[in-house]
Amino acid sequence: MDLNKIPQIKYTDSQNFFLLAGPCAIEGEEMAMRIAEHMVTLTNTLQIPYVFKGSFKKANRSRLDSFTGIGDEKALKILRKVSETFEVPTVTDIHTEQDAAMAAEYVDVLQIPAFLARQTDLVVAAAETGKTVNIKKGQFMSPESMKHAVNKVTETGNEQAIITDRGTMFGYQDMIVDFRGVPTMKQFAPVVLDVTHSLQQPNQSSGVTGGRPALIGTMARASIAAGVDGLFIETHFDCANAKSDGANMLDLALMKKLLTDLVALKGVVNQF
């Protein structure tokens, strides 16, 4: 995996972690542009290699009445506008083999959701587009098993694979991150820690996911100390009214301090 092969990515020689960040879902053009502008300004100042994240469609919903998107093409065009306006790469989730080819026309990185990490046809379809493929580790999978998910990408001839950990199911309606998995998975591909989703608390009775956003800073700092290559953080300027995963996103206003602290910490970690 070569980070420099992601189009428009910057500051890859800064020795910083790279960052995938943005809203959970694309709710509209104004909100996406507002979040992107804020994040690009911050990451330019701090010289963090940055990829704007936004789901064009949310297929993994607990309830039928949950928000799934504003329309596939409409959301994908917004992602393209973000990329062209701010000169940054973009990443979005895909859920079917047909999504892979469609989304690849608009974004630079295709993301495999955690629940679908073992879906061979989906992973191979993403790899065959030639785009970088970010595979989220299933909540039910061991770090060692991610070797096979990565191999599904590389065996198609695509070396651009990333692994993102988002925690492992721990009892009922809770998850835990086992940092012992970081060095294991780094043998297979660069490793990202999905800070916000690892703090989710899925509520199977109500169908509305909760979270513990107060621990985002703790989890992010621990991830940097553990040696991850990148971080994944979902953010919104109005988390309480976000249409998806508002309970575990980071308020956009808090992002500056968090990233400043993390860059300082990364500088210390680099000395070891």
Side-chain angles (χ1 to χ4, degrees), residues 10-207:
K10 303 175 181 68
Y11 311 117
T12 55
D13 59 352
S14 66
Q15 296 190 310
N16 267 325
F17 54 90
F18 64 93
L19 177 67
L20 290 73
C24 179
I26 299 298
E27 302 169 8
E29 182 175 314
E30 188 278 333
M31 65 82 70
M33 299 295 282
R34 177 175 171 182
I35 294 170
E37 181 176 24
H38 188 86
M39 290 304 306
V40 169
T41 298
L42 284 180
T43 54
N44 281 344
T45 299
L46 295 169
Q47 296 194 332
I48 299 171
Y50 175 58
V51 182
F52 177 83
K53 183 269 169 185
S55 297
F56 79 94
K57 175 171 61 179
K58 301 302 296 184
N60 297 336
R61 301 290 85 189
S62 297
R63 297 182 351 191
L64 189 61
D65 61 353
S66 296
F67 174 80
T68 58
I70 60 174
D72 295 356
E73 188 175 13
K74 183 177 181 180
L76 286 167
K77 285 182 176 179
I78 291 171
L79 284 164
R80 175 186 281 169
K81 183 170 183 178
V82 166
S83 180
E84 292 175 347
T85 301
F86 299 106
E87 299 182 337
V88 291
T90 54
V91 55
T92 199
D93 313 75
I94 59 172
H95 303 88
T96 68
E97 297 94 284
Q98 292 74 28
D99 284 351
M102 176 176 64
E105 295 294 319
Y106 295 89
V107 303
D108 305 293
V109 181
L110 299 178
Q111 182 166 283
I112 308 298
F115 285 128
L116 302 177
R118 286 177 54 91
Q119 295 298 104
T120 300
D121 289 348
L122 177 62
V123 175
V124 170
E128 287 178 341
T129 68
K131 300 289 184 175
T132 297
V133 182
N134 181 30
I135 310 172
K136 285 201 166 182
K137 183 178 80 64
Q139 301 93 322
F140 45 85
M141 294 174 68
S142 70
E144 291 79 6
S145 66
M146 289 304 294
K147 174 182 180 180
H148 306 296
V150 170
N151 285 346
K152 290 174 183 177
V153 176
T154 59
E155 287 172 8
T156 69
N158 185 342
E159 298 295 325
Q160 291 294 104
I162 301 169
I163 299 171
T164 293
D165 194 355
R166 48 109 0 114
T168 300
M169 293 305 296
F170 183 70
Y172 293 100
Q173 300 178 11
D174 201 6
M175 282 176 286
I176 191 166
V177 174
D178 183 352
F179 288 104
R180 296 176 300 177
V182 172
T184 298
M185 292 186 290
K186 286 183 72 167
Q187 298 175 72
F188 317 136
V191 174
V192 172
L193 199 290
D194 181 344
V195 177
T196 43
H197 284 102
S198 68
L199 295 168
Q200 272 187 339
Q201 292 184 307
N203 190 320
Q204 299 303 320
S205 57
S206 71

Side-chain angles (χ1 to χ4, degrees), residues 230-245:
L231 294 175
F232 179 108
I233 303 174
E234 288 189 339
T235 184
H236 199 291
F237 51 81
D238 186 8
C239 297
N241 292 301
K243 295 183 182 297
S244 179
D245 279 359

Side-chain angles (χ1 to χ4, degrees), residues 15-17 224 261-272:
Q15 296 190 310
N16 267 325
F17 54 90
I224 295 297
D261 290 348
L262 293 176
V263 167
L265 178 59
K266 177 62 173 169
V268 174
V269 171
N270 287 343
Q271 298 177 33
F272 292 93

Side-chain angles (χ1 to χ4, degrees), residues 202-217:
N203 190 320
Q204 299 303 320
S205 57
S206 71
V208 178
T209 298
R212 305 181 69 187
L215 293 176
I216 288 173

